Amino acid sequence: CPNQCTKRGICSAQSCSCEWGESGASDCSKRVCPAGVAWVDVPWATDTAHNTHTECSNMGLCDRSTGKCSCRTGFTGAACERLACPSMCNGHGVCMSLEEAASSVDDYRLLTETTYTGVWDHDKIFGCVCDSGWTGYDCSLRECPVSDDPMTDGELDEIKELVCSCPATCSGTFTISFRGQTTTDIAHDADAATLAAALEALSTVRDVTVDMSDATVCAGTPVFTDITFTRDPGDLPAFRLSSSLASSGGTVVLNSTDVIDGTKEAAECSNRGSCDRSSGACTCDSGFSSSDGTNATGTLGDCGFQEFPSLVYDCPDSCSGYGECSGYPAYTCSCYDGFTGHDCSLRTCPTGKAWFDEPSATDTAHALTECSNNGICDRTTGQCTCRTGFVGAACERLDCPYSTTAGHCNGHGRCRTIQQLGVLRTDNGVSSPVTYGSNPYSTATWDFDAVSGCLCDAPGHTFPDGEVGDVPDYTGYDCSLRTCPTGDDPLSPGVFEIQNVSCSLTSGTFTLTFREETTDAIDSGGSGSDLEAALEAIPTIGDVSVTASSPMCSALNGYALVTFLTELGDLPALTSSSGSVAVSEVQAGTKANVECSNQGVCDTSTGTCSCFSQQTSSDGDGNKGKRGDCGAVDALAGSSS
């Protein structure tokens, strides 16, 4: 066996059966790397892509000496299978997958409990769920205090009602969770002050008033407790209750409902100031200052206290000329498209499908979001500053690997979306397009125009004269690796493909097409040599031999037997431009078409084969030649390249 299988496999019939993880070459000398769901690949059926077992997930290069993937910047995991959280959320958030975000609820950032397990990216795309006070796709921006707009009136505080019934002898406690935080244990006989203190101890609650229908929160008959949020504006999330209450003589009932949904604005800087994203501080408009959350002066840091009501007679900065003012009494701005902010002085940015967001329903995510939740909006220009590796006005598309010196795909390929890759799909060298993204609104193929990959250069199966192994094809997720010449394995030799061209033309010309390349016009009165020259002139054919009738075409069905000498394996049929020319397969090719003929190791930096001992370059038929593979036996040769 070659190189005695590098002591990493079992030799049988001159062939190596490599140990697990050691099958990166036919002599077991190269390691294989972990595999994962491909980030990008060529679709193979309608709306079907993302092969589940792709080395380094097609987002990194395998180090054949170690069996470890070297991942593209921004991707992580043993198989480069995960999109990492940007800057690890800058220490101000939790990094989680789409699947985890779907199943998690904190009633603050994550509001909907659902499942997201049936889409290819469920455990691949990770994003930031920011802590309170922080925002942005990477949690790098500060939030400012939110409070009620002091210029509006008639809104209502949120009121929640707690009902507890615990007959006979009652024991135990319960807790209330609100916006991701949970109270300490609340005793069954707690009074109103105790319940209020437990809630106000949460950082997510500013102030409540508690009104009970009895002296304790639970009793033998139902106790109705109204909890009013006096300084927490907006429609608030429901309570989540957990109980260990027990009764010696009946059924315990504990539940809560929303009696009144809060209608006060939960507006940043109370709609009366601008937020500094670097500090989280509000700069209040003239006549407004920090409040206590009830439109009185206080220390919240919002702009909810109106110092001089009689002096307000216009919208903030007259809506900066980019909006309409409502006039008296609220003086609020309705901004024109492209502008935002309480005074319409800020620009909005383009929206795209969010790369990471909270799934809203079963296997449903990627809602339209500013900068696709993959960049920061510059509020002065309305342009997104995208995360590294992502492009588009809304940062909506994962770009192909790019370098400033070589461009996309190291200058050796074309950058295309998955949808475009489907259109360019070939099968055995013949165009065989499939559709990916047949329904542009389907969540299963949301990525049809959002993920790009490299279609590496592969200029046909040409074998020019010159240096052995000079085959200008490239491979790898970034087209940085060279492919090596392919050939038949001499240990299991096969036969060449033979096709019959049957021609009944009596005049005129015809053309033949092979693997999307078409010959020049072939004279129906020509010879087999003419046909051979025409076929060998197209770039997808190297060498053929032709045996033909004389004349090649005739009313009595002339023929030409075409034997393919450089294109190996079972080949696609030649196709003709004329209905009077038919092609049939006489002998299916069975010669292997494997890199370095399975008798050498490919140097991906040069695209040349290093042949095992007593193997050398062949002509594709076991004889010495300039193919560049290792398909010929040379008893006098050592290891060569």
Side-chain angles (χ1 to χ4, degrees):
C1 282
N3 297 328
Q4 297 181 336
C5 302
T6 324
K7 298 183 179 180
R8 294 174 178 171
I10 298 173
C11 179
S12 176
Q14 296 181 284
S15 179
C16 294
S17 177
C18 301
E19 297 172 357
W20 184 87
E22 305 287 353
S23 59
S26 53
D27 64 346
C28 306
S29 62
K30 293 187 176 184
R31 301 290 301 273
V32 295
C33 281
V37 174
W39 282 99
V40 58
D41 53 8
V42 177
W44 59 91
T46 300
D47 294 334
T48 306
H50 304 290
N51 191 294
T52 58
H53 193 80
T54 302
E55 197 171 48
C56 300
S57 306
N58 206 17
M59 202 51 70
L61 296 177
C62 180
D63 184 333
R64 298 294 176 198
S65 65
T66 64
K68 294 182 178 180
C69 294
S70 176
C71 301
R72 178 180 176 182
T73 300
F75 293 82
T76 189
C80 309
E81 73 275 17
R82 300 193 305 273
L83 177 65
C85 282
S87 305
M88 290 306 296
C89 307
N90 286 289
H92 302 304
V94 178
C95 180
M96 60 176 59
S97 68
L98 285 165
E99 181 178 349
E100 292 169 331
S103 62
S104 303
V105 174
D106 61 11
D107 293 324
Y108 183 65
R109 305 291 190 195
L110 303 174
L111 307 177
T112 303
E113 186 172 3
T114 185
T115 59
Y116 191 85
T117 58
V119 184
W120 68 271
D121 61 344
H122 68 101
D123 60 351
K124 293 178 69 64
I125 293 180
F126 281 67
C128 295
V129 178
C130 298
D131 298 335
S132 175
W134 295 90
T135 189
Y137 83 102
D138 58 354
C139 304
S140 63
L141 305 179
R142 297 297 300 267
E143 291 180 320
C144 285
V146 298
S147 194
D148 184 37
D149 186 340
M151 293 293 291
T152 59
D153 54 25
E155 298 101 345
L156 301 174
D157 288 324
E158 175 104 0
I159 299 178
K160 298 182 184 296
E161 186 172 72
L162 191 70
V163 180
C164 184
S165 173
C166 191
T169 301
C170 186
S171 62
T173 62
F174 66 93
T175 60
I176 300 174
S177 295
F178 179 73
R179 282 182 168 168
Q181 295 193 15
T182 302
T183 65
T184 56
D185 289 341
I186 300 169
H188 65 92
D189 57 355
D191 58 17
T194 302
L195 178 59
L199 286 168
E200 290 172 355
L202 305 179
S203 65
T204 53
V205 176
R206 290 174 179 170
D207 187 51
V208 294
T209 60
V210 176
D211 182 21
M212 289 181 178
S213 63
D214 205 330
T216 60
V217 68
C218 297
T221 57
V223 177
F224 299 89
T225 302
D226 287 344
I227 301 169
T228 303
F229 289 79
T230 57
R231 296 198 299 142
D232 293 279
D235 186 4
L236 304 178
F239 283 156
R240 295 181 182 270
L241 306 176
S242 178
S243 171
S244 64
L245 295 172
S247 170
S248 63
T251 301
V252 173
V253 175
L254 179 68
N255 57 57
S256 68
T257 57
D258 289 354
V259 177
I260 296 177
D261 291 333
T263 59
K264 290 183 175 180
E265 297 89 359
E268 205 167 40
C269 300
S270 309
N271 270 342
R272 300 297 156 179
S274 301
C275 179
D276 183 340
R277 294 292 175 202
S278 64
S279 65
C282 293
T283 300
C284 298
D285 297 338
S286 177
F288 296 88
S289 61
S290 179
S291 81
D292 66 350
T294 64
N295 299 338
T297 186
T299 59
L300 285 182
D302 61 348
C303 300
F305 175 58
Q306 188 178 7
E307 298 173 333
F308 307 107
S310 62
L311 296 182
V312 179
Y313 50 85
D314 192 10
C315 284
D317 200 23
S318 299
C319 302
S320 306
Y322 300 118
E324 298 289 340
C325 181
S326 68
Y328 179 83
Y331 292 112
T332 57
C333 292
S334 296
C335 302
Y336 300 147
D337 287 346
F339 293 88
T340 188
H342 79 292
D343 58 357
C344 302
S345 64
L346 306 178
R347 299 295 300 270
T348 61
C349 280
T351 60
K353 288 175 285 190
W355 270 74
F356 177 84
D357 60 357
E358 179 189 13
S360 59
T362 301
D363 292 337
T364 302
H366 308 291
L368 290 178
T369 308
E370 199 171 50
C371 298
S372 305
N373 201 21
N374 222 14
I376 300 295
C377 180
D378 185 333
R379 297 296 175 193
T380 62
T381 64
Q383 295 180 335
C384 296
T385 300
C386 301
R387 178 181 182 180
T388 299
F390 291 83
V391 295
C395 308
E396 71 275 14
R397 182 164 55 87
L398 174 64
D399 199 13
C400 292
Y402 179 85
S403 72
T404 55
T405 55
H408 284 112
C409 307
N410 283 290
H412 301 305
R414 291 167 286 169
C415 184
R416 297 292 185 266
T417 65
I418 295 186
Q419 185 179 62
Q420 293 168 332
L421 290 174
V423 174
L424 296 171
R425 176 179 178 266
T426 61
D427 183 9
N428 201 4
V430 178
S431 177
S432 183
V434 298
T435 300
Y436 188 81
S438 59
N439 178 0
Y441 304 105
S442 170
T443 57
T445 54
W446 70 272
D447 58 306
F448 72 95
D449 60 351
V451 176
S452 299
C454 291
L455 187 63
C456 298
D457 292 343
H461 299 270
T462 58
F463 304 95
D465 291 335
E467 183 180 356
V468 170
D470 185 19
V471 179
D473 293 4
Y474 287 83
T475 188
Y477 84 100
D478 59 353
C479 302
S480 64
L481 305 179
R482 297 290 298 270
T483 62
C484 282
T486 59
D488 191 28
D489 187 340
L491 296 182
S492 55
V495 297
F496 289 121
E497 173 96 6
I498 301 176
Q499 296 181 14
N500 179 52
V501 179
S502 177
C503 179
S504 60
L505 288 172
T506 57
S507 63
T509 63
F510 65 95
T511 61
L512 293 174
T513 299
F514 181 76
R515 286 176 169 165
E516 304 305 309
E517 296 289 343
T518 301
T519 65
D520 291 336
I522 302 168
D523 190 340
S524 61
S527 65
S529 297
D530 296 328
L531 176 60
E532 181 174 331
L535 289 171
E536 291 177 350
I538 63 176
T540 50
I541 292 178
D543 189 20
V544 295
S545 68
V546 177
T547 302
S549 61
S550 181
M552 180 175 61
C553 296
S554 73
L556 299 177
N557 286 325
Y559 72 91
L561 292 175
V562 179
T563 302
F564 291 82
L565 302 177
T566 49
E567 285 60 59
L568 307 182
D570 191 5
L571 303 178
L574 294 160
T575 57
S576 171
S577 62
S578 172
S580 298
V581 178
V583 179
S584 60
E585 186 177 67
V586 176
Q587 175 176 279
T590 60
K591 285 183 176 290
N593 192 35
V594 290
E595 197 170 57
C596 300
S597 302
N598 272 342
Q599 298 301 313
V601 176
C602 178
D603 183 340
T604 56
S605 66
T606 63
T608 56
C609 293
S610 177
C611 298
F612 300 145
S613 179
Q614 298 186 350
Q615 297 294 139
T616 190
S617 178
S618 82
D619 62 354
D621 198 25
N623 306 305
K624 293 182 182 180
K626 293 186 177 181
R627 189 177 181 96
D629 61 350
C630 299
V633 176
D634 183 357
L636 300 179
S639 178
S640 64
S641 59

